[in-house]
Short mmCIF file of all heavy atoms in Angstrom, two decimals:
data_model
loop_
_atom_site.label_atom_id
_atom_site.label_comp_id
_atom_site.label_asym_id
_atom_site.label_seq_id
_atom_site.Cartn_x
_atom_site.Cartn_y
_atom_site.Cartn_z
N PHE A 1 80.58 19.44 26.13
CA PHE A 1 80.50 19.29 27.57
C PHE A 1 81.89 19.05 28.19
O PHE A 1 82.78 18.82 27.57
CB PHE A 1 79.53 18.14 27.95
CG PHE A 1 79.93 16.81 27.42
CD1 PHE A 1 80.69 15.96 28.12
CD2 PHE A 1 79.44 16.41 26.16
CE1 PHE A 1 81.08 14.69 27.64
CE2 PHE A 1 79.80 15.21 25.66
CZ PHE A 1 80.57 14.30 26.35
N GLU A 2 81.87 19.22 29.48
CA GLU A 2 83.10 18.96 30.33
C GLU A 2 82.78 17.79 31.29
O GLU A 2 81.76 17.68 31.91
CB GLU A 2 83.44 20.27 31.09
CG GLU A 2 84.67 20.16 32.00
CD GLU A 2 84.93 21.35 32.78
OE1 GLU A 2 84.29 22.44 32.48
OE2 GLU A 2 85.78 21.36 33.70
N SER A 3 83.81 16.88 31.40
CA SER A 3 83.58 15.78 32.19
C SER A 3 84.94 15.21 32.78
O SER A 3 85.79 15.01 31.95
CB SER A 3 82.83 14.57 31.47
OG SER A 3 82.76 13.49 32.36
N GLY A 4 85.04 15.12 34.03
CA GLY A 4 86.26 14.49 34.66
C GLY A 4 87.45 15.37 34.33
O GLY A 4 88.59 14.79 34.20
N GLY A 5 87.32 16.64 34.20
CA GLY A 5 88.45 17.47 33.89
C GLY A 5 88.92 17.53 32.51
O GLY A 5 89.88 18.25 32.15
N GLN A 6 88.14 16.92 31.67
CA GLN A 6 88.46 16.91 30.19
C GLN A 6 87.29 17.55 29.41
O GLN A 6 86.16 17.63 29.94
CB GLN A 6 88.60 15.46 29.70
CG GLN A 6 89.53 14.52 30.47
CD GLN A 6 90.98 15.07 30.54
OE1 GLN A 6 91.39 15.78 29.69
NE2 GLN A 6 91.72 14.73 31.66
N PHE A 7 87.55 18.07 28.33
CA PHE A 7 86.59 18.77 27.47
C PHE A 7 86.28 17.94 26.22
O PHE A 7 87.16 17.31 25.66
CB PHE A 7 87.08 20.13 27.04
CG PHE A 7 87.41 21.07 28.19
CD1 PHE A 7 88.64 21.09 28.76
CD2 PHE A 7 86.41 21.88 28.76
CE1 PHE A 7 88.97 21.92 29.78
CE2 PHE A 7 86.65 22.69 29.81
CZ PHE A 7 87.97 22.72 30.42
N TYR A 8 84.96 17.95 25.89
CA TYR A 8 84.52 17.10 24.73
C TYR A 8 83.67 17.83 23.78
O TYR A 8 82.78 18.60 24.16
CB TYR A 8 83.67 15.89 25.32
CG TYR A 8 84.41 14.96 26.17
CD1 TYR A 8 84.54 15.18 27.55
CD2 TYR A 8 85.07 13.82 25.62
CE1 TYR A 8 85.26 14.36 28.38
CE2 TYR A 8 85.76 12.96 26.45
CZ TYR A 8 85.88 13.19 27.84
OH TYR A 8 86.57 12.40 28.69
N LEU A 9 83.95 17.66 22.45
CA LEU A 9 83.15 18.19 21.39
C LEU A 9 82.53 17.02 20.62
O LEU A 9 83.23 16.02 20.30
CB LEU A 9 84.08 19.00 20.38
CG LEU A 9 84.61 20.24 20.83
CD1 LEU A 9 85.71 20.72 19.87
CD2 LEU A 9 83.58 21.32 20.91
N VAL A 10 81.21 17.08 20.43
CA VAL A 10 80.51 16.01 19.68
C VAL A 10 80.13 16.59 18.37
O VAL A 10 79.40 17.56 18.26
CB VAL A 10 79.34 15.55 20.49
CG1 VAL A 10 78.65 14.35 19.70
CG2 VAL A 10 79.69 15.13 21.88
N GLN A 11 80.62 16.03 17.25
CA GLN A 11 80.31 16.45 15.95
C GLN A 11 79.73 15.30 15.03
O GLN A 11 79.77 14.13 15.41
CB GLN A 11 81.58 17.00 15.30
CG GLN A 11 82.07 18.28 15.90
CD GLN A 11 83.34 18.82 15.12
OE1 GLN A 11 84.34 18.32 15.27
NE2 GLN A 11 83.10 19.84 14.31
N GLU A 12 79.14 15.73 13.93
CA GLU A 12 78.67 14.83 12.93
C GLU A 12 79.75 13.85 12.51
O GLU A 12 80.95 14.31 12.28
CB GLU A 12 78.15 15.67 11.77
CG GLU A 12 77.82 14.80 10.54
CD GLU A 12 77.57 15.77 9.29
OE1 GLU A 12 77.59 16.97 9.46
OE2 GLU A 12 77.33 15.20 8.25
N TYR A 13 79.53 12.62 12.38
CA TYR A 13 80.49 11.65 11.90
C TYR A 13 80.53 11.62 10.37
O TYR A 13 79.45 11.51 9.74
CB TYR A 13 80.18 10.22 12.47
CG TYR A 13 81.15 9.25 12.01
CD1 TYR A 13 82.47 9.04 12.45
CD2 TYR A 13 80.73 8.22 11.04
CE1 TYR A 13 83.31 8.08 11.97
CE2 TYR A 13 81.61 7.24 10.58
CZ TYR A 13 82.87 7.15 11.05
OH TYR A 13 83.72 6.24 10.63
N VAL A 14 81.72 11.81 9.76
CA VAL A 14 81.90 11.80 8.29
C VAL A 14 82.53 10.62 7.86
O VAL A 14 83.66 10.35 8.27
CB VAL A 14 82.64 13.06 7.94
CG1 VAL A 14 82.76 13.11 6.30
CG2 VAL A 14 82.02 14.34 8.40
N LYS A 15 81.90 9.76 7.15
CA LYS A 15 82.46 8.58 6.60
C LYS A 15 83.02 8.78 5.25
O LYS A 15 82.47 9.31 4.33
CB LYS A 15 81.33 7.50 6.53
CG LYS A 15 81.82 6.12 6.05
CD LYS A 15 80.76 5.05 5.98
CE LYS A 15 81.24 3.71 5.55
NZ LYS A 15 80.20 2.71 5.44
N GLY A 16 84.31 8.32 5.14
CA GLY A 16 85.02 8.45 3.83
C GLY A 16 86.49 8.40 4.05
O GLY A 16 86.97 8.12 5.16
N LEU A 17 87.26 8.69 3.00
CA LEU A 17 88.68 8.68 3.06
C LEU A 17 89.28 10.13 3.09
O LEU A 17 88.67 10.97 2.34
CB LEU A 17 89.32 7.94 1.87
CG LEU A 17 89.06 6.47 1.76
CD1 LEU A 17 89.68 5.97 0.44
CD2 LEU A 17 89.61 5.68 2.92
N THR A 18 90.26 10.37 3.86
CA THR A 18 90.95 11.63 3.77
C THR A 18 91.77 11.63 2.53
O THR A 18 92.04 10.64 1.91
CB THR A 18 91.92 11.88 5.00
OG1 THR A 18 92.98 10.89 4.93
CG2 THR A 18 91.17 11.61 6.31
N LEU A 19 92.12 12.90 2.07
CA LEU A 19 92.95 12.99 0.87
C LEU A 19 94.31 12.33 1.09
O LEU A 19 94.87 11.79 0.09
CB LEU A 19 93.14 14.49 0.52
CG LEU A 19 91.88 15.23 0.09
CD1 LEU A 19 92.27 16.60 -0.45
CD2 LEU A 19 91.05 14.40 -1.05
N LYS A 20 94.82 12.25 2.32
CA LYS A 20 96.10 11.59 2.56
C LYS A 20 95.88 10.17 2.31
O LYS A 20 96.74 9.45 1.77
CB LYS A 20 96.52 11.90 4.03
CG LYS A 20 97.90 11.21 4.33
CD LYS A 20 98.28 11.62 5.73
CE LYS A 20 99.69 10.94 6.08
NZ LYS A 20 100.15 11.24 7.46
N GLN A 21 94.74 9.52 2.79
CA GLN A 21 94.53 8.18 2.63
C GLN A 21 94.24 7.85 1.08
O GLN A 21 94.69 6.79 0.60
CB GLN A 21 93.23 7.76 3.32
CG GLN A 21 93.41 7.73 4.87
CD GLN A 21 92.23 7.56 5.70
OE1 GLN A 21 91.16 8.01 5.25
NE2 GLN A 21 92.27 6.90 6.86
N GLU A 22 93.69 8.77 0.36
CA GLU A 22 93.47 8.52 -1.10
C GLU A 22 94.82 8.44 -1.79
O GLU A 22 94.96 7.52 -2.62
CB GLU A 22 92.62 9.69 -1.69
CG GLU A 22 91.10 9.62 -1.37
CD GLU A 22 90.34 10.59 -2.23
OE1 GLU A 22 90.95 11.26 -3.06
OE2 GLU A 22 89.11 10.67 -2.03
N VAL A 23 95.73 9.33 -1.45
CA VAL A 23 97.09 9.22 -2.05
C VAL A 23 97.79 8.02 -1.71
O VAL A 23 98.40 7.25 -2.53
CB VAL A 23 97.95 10.51 -1.66
CG1 VAL A 23 99.41 10.29 -2.11
CG2 VAL A 23 97.36 11.75 -2.25
N LYS A 24 97.68 7.62 -0.47
CA LYS A 24 98.33 6.31 -0.03
C LYS A 24 97.75 5.16 -0.72
O LYS A 24 98.50 4.10 -1.11
CB LYS A 24 98.15 6.13 1.43
CG LYS A 24 98.85 7.14 2.32
CD LYS A 24 100.39 7.05 2.29
CE LYS A 24 101.09 7.99 3.18
NZ LYS A 24 102.48 8.00 3.08
N ARG A 25 96.45 5.18 -1.01
CA ARG A 25 95.78 3.97 -1.57
C ARG A 25 95.74 4.04 -3.06
O ARG A 25 95.96 2.90 -3.69
CB ARG A 25 94.23 3.92 -1.08
CG ARG A 25 93.55 2.76 -1.58
CD ARG A 25 92.12 2.72 -0.97
NE ARG A 25 92.18 2.52 0.53
CZ ARG A 25 91.12 2.25 1.30
NH1 ARG A 25 89.91 2.13 0.67
NH2 ARG A 25 91.21 2.06 2.54
N TYR A 26 95.55 5.18 -3.68
CA TYR A 26 95.46 5.12 -5.13
C TYR A 26 96.61 5.86 -5.91
O TYR A 26 96.65 5.83 -7.17
CB TYR A 26 94.11 5.89 -5.52
CG TYR A 26 92.88 5.23 -4.86
CD1 TYR A 26 92.12 6.02 -3.96
CD2 TYR A 26 92.47 3.96 -5.15
CE1 TYR A 26 90.98 5.42 -3.41
CE2 TYR A 26 91.41 3.46 -4.52
CZ TYR A 26 90.63 4.11 -3.63
OH TYR A 26 89.54 3.60 -3.01
N GLY A 27 97.42 6.54 -5.21
CA GLY A 27 98.53 7.19 -5.91
C GLY A 27 98.31 8.65 -5.93
O GLY A 27 97.27 9.22 -5.52
N VAL A 28 99.37 9.45 -6.42
CA VAL A 28 99.29 10.89 -6.51
C VAL A 28 98.15 11.34 -7.48
O VAL A 28 97.78 10.68 -8.38
CB VAL A 28 100.62 11.46 -6.85
CG1 VAL A 28 101.64 11.12 -5.78
CG2 VAL A 28 101.03 10.95 -8.25
N PHE A 29 97.74 12.63 -7.17
CA PHE A 29 96.66 13.20 -8.06
C PHE A 29 97.33 13.73 -9.32
O PHE A 29 98.52 14.12 -9.32
CB PHE A 29 96.00 14.33 -7.29
CG PHE A 29 95.07 13.95 -6.23
CD1 PHE A 29 95.21 12.74 -5.52
CD2 PHE A 29 93.95 14.75 -5.89
CE1 PHE A 29 94.30 12.32 -4.56
CE2 PHE A 29 93.08 14.35 -4.99
CZ PHE A 29 93.29 13.11 -4.20
N ASP A 30 96.59 13.78 -10.44
CA ASP A 30 97.09 14.55 -11.60
C ASP A 30 96.59 16.00 -11.40
O ASP A 30 95.81 16.36 -10.56
CB ASP A 30 96.57 13.91 -12.86
CG ASP A 30 94.97 13.79 -12.93
OD1 ASP A 30 94.30 14.54 -12.38
OD2 ASP A 30 94.57 12.91 -13.70
N GLU A 31 96.93 16.86 -12.46
CA GLU A 31 96.65 18.23 -12.39
C GLU A 31 95.16 18.46 -12.38
O GLU A 31 94.60 19.39 -11.70
CB GLU A 31 97.25 19.00 -13.55
CG GLU A 31 96.92 20.44 -13.51
CD GLU A 31 97.70 21.23 -14.65
OE1 GLU A 31 98.68 20.68 -15.11
OE2 GLU A 31 97.34 22.34 -14.92
N PHE A 32 94.37 17.69 -13.19
CA PHE A 32 92.87 17.96 -13.21
C PHE A 32 92.31 17.68 -11.87
O PHE A 32 91.43 18.46 -11.47
CB PHE A 32 92.25 16.93 -14.25
CG PHE A 32 92.98 16.98 -15.61
CD1 PHE A 32 93.16 15.75 -16.35
CD2 PHE A 32 93.59 18.11 -16.02
CE1 PHE A 32 93.80 15.78 -17.57
CE2 PHE A 32 94.19 18.11 -17.27
CZ PHE A 32 94.30 16.95 -18.00
N LYS A 33 92.68 16.67 -11.15
CA LYS A 33 92.12 16.39 -9.80
C LYS A 33 92.49 17.51 -8.87
O LYS A 33 91.62 17.85 -7.99
CB LYS A 33 92.61 14.99 -9.34
CG LYS A 33 91.96 13.82 -10.09
CD LYS A 33 92.49 12.47 -9.44
CE LYS A 33 91.80 11.34 -10.14
NZ LYS A 33 92.32 10.00 -9.60
N VAL A 34 93.61 17.93 -8.93
CA VAL A 34 94.06 19.01 -8.04
C VAL A 34 93.29 20.32 -8.33
O VAL A 34 92.89 20.96 -7.33
CB VAL A 34 95.58 19.28 -8.12
CG1 VAL A 34 95.99 20.57 -7.40
CG2 VAL A 34 96.37 18.12 -7.53
N ARG A 35 93.07 20.52 -9.54
CA ARG A 35 92.25 21.73 -9.84
C ARG A 35 90.80 21.64 -9.30
O ARG A 35 90.27 22.60 -8.81
CB ARG A 35 92.20 21.96 -11.40
CG ARG A 35 93.39 22.56 -11.97
CD ARG A 35 93.34 22.70 -13.50
NE ARG A 35 94.28 23.57 -14.06
CZ ARG A 35 94.25 24.97 -14.18
NH1 ARG A 35 93.21 25.58 -13.72
NH2 ARG A 35 95.24 25.57 -14.65
N ALA A 36 90.27 20.39 -9.35
CA ALA A 36 88.96 20.12 -8.81
C ALA A 36 88.97 20.33 -7.27
O ALA A 36 88.02 20.87 -6.72
CB ALA A 36 88.52 18.72 -9.13
N VAL A 37 90.07 19.89 -6.65
CA VAL A 37 90.17 20.05 -5.16
C VAL A 37 90.21 21.58 -4.84
O VAL A 37 89.54 22.09 -3.92
CB VAL A 37 91.39 19.41 -4.63
CG1 VAL A 37 91.72 19.82 -3.23
CG2 VAL A 37 91.26 17.92 -4.71
N LEU A 38 90.99 22.33 -5.60
CA LEU A 38 91.13 23.77 -5.39
C LEU A 38 89.76 24.50 -5.59
O LEU A 38 89.38 25.32 -4.84
CB LEU A 38 92.13 24.37 -6.30
CG LEU A 38 93.59 24.13 -5.83
CD1 LEU A 38 94.57 24.64 -6.98
CD2 LEU A 38 93.88 24.87 -4.60
#
């Protein structure tokens, strides 16, 4: 919808960590995890 000259998208809320947050919290991925991501 549009309101007050601004535009708004409402989407499903996804609870979890981003991959960037996972690296910051748990360290870099190994090759096996990267293959799984791919």
Side-chain angles (χ1 to χ4, degrees):
F1 56 91
E2 180 182 347
S3 177
Q6 312 298 333
F7 299 91
Y8 296 89
L9 291 165
V10 183
Q11 289 183 284
E12 171 192 359
Y13 177 72
V14 181
K15 184 179 181 181
L17 294 177
T18 67
L19 294 188
K20 182 177 182 179
Q21 290 170 329
E22 285 191 3
V23 170
K24 296 290 186 183
R25 182 174 297 187
Y26 304 116
V28 297
F29 285 31
D30 58 25
E31 179 173 344
F32 310 145
K33 288 183 179 179
V34 168
R35 282 179 169 273
V37 168
L38 282 172

